[in-house]
């Protein structure tokens, strides 16, 4: 999926069972901090949270600089958050 603009991460697949709404959020989440976690927590109150994570290449193209953390590390950190 290196050629895709976004890599989508999904930590759980309970949506079909619970009939909850799907909440899609996106970002680079390069410097993940407590504000991001709070954002995911609030989003989870609206439904099951799905995160689209910007790829390293896309972020470099849009922001004109490389990421601090590689894509796979950012994905790992996002998947560790219980609200995602």
């Amino acid at each position: 999926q290196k050629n895709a603009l976004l890599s989508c991460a999904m930590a759980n697949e309970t949506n079909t069972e619970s009939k909850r709404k799907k909440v899609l959020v996106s970002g680079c989440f390069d410097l993940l901090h407590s504000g991001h976690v709070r954002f995911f927590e609030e989003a989870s109150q609206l439904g099951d949270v799905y995160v689209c994570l910007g790829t390293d290449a896309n972020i470099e193209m849009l922001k004109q600089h490389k990421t601090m953390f590689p894509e796979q590390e950012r994905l790992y950190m996002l998947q560790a958050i219980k609200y995602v």
Side-chain angles (χ1 to χ4, degrees), residues 4-43:
L5 289 179
L6 297 173
S7 296
C8 291
M10 184 176 64
N12 65 51
E13 296 186 20
T14 61
N15 195 280
T16 55
E17 297 169 8
S18 67
K19 302 293 183 192
R20 287 172 38 101
K21 291 183 180 181
K22 294 179 183 178
V23 180
L24 179 65
V25 299
S26 66
C28 65
F29 306 107
D30 194 22
L31 298 175
L32 192 64
H33 55 78
S34 61
H36 290 123
V37 176
R38 179 71 178 139
F39 171 69
F40 296 135
E41 181 181 18
E42 289 183 17

Side-chain angles (χ1 to χ4, degrees), residues 9-81:
M10 184 176 64
N12 65 51
E13 296 186 20
T14 61
N15 195 280
T16 55
E17 297 169 8
S18 67
K19 302 293 183 192
R20 287 172 38 101
K21 291 183 180 181
K22 294 179 183 178
V23 180
L24 179 65
V25 299
S26 66
C28 65
F29 306 107
D30 194 22
L31 298 175
L32 192 64
H33 55 78
S34 61
H36 290 123
V37 176
R38 179 71 178 139
F39 171 69
F40 296 135
E41 181 181 18
E42 289 183 17
S44 73
Q45 294 172 7
L46 302 173
D48 293 332
V49 177
Y50 294 78
V51 178
C52 285
L53 177 64
T55 63
D56 292 340
N58 196 38
I59 292 167
E60 186 173 354
M61 179 186 70
L62 292 171
K63 295 192 173 192
Q64 308 298 308
H65 64 80
K66 293 183 184 267
T67 60
M68 295 292 290
F69 298 100
E71 187 176 322
Q72 290 304 313
E73 188 169 348
R74 293 182 288 120
L75 177 61
Y76 176 78
M77 291 187 295
L78 288 171
Q79 289 174 325
I81 298 172

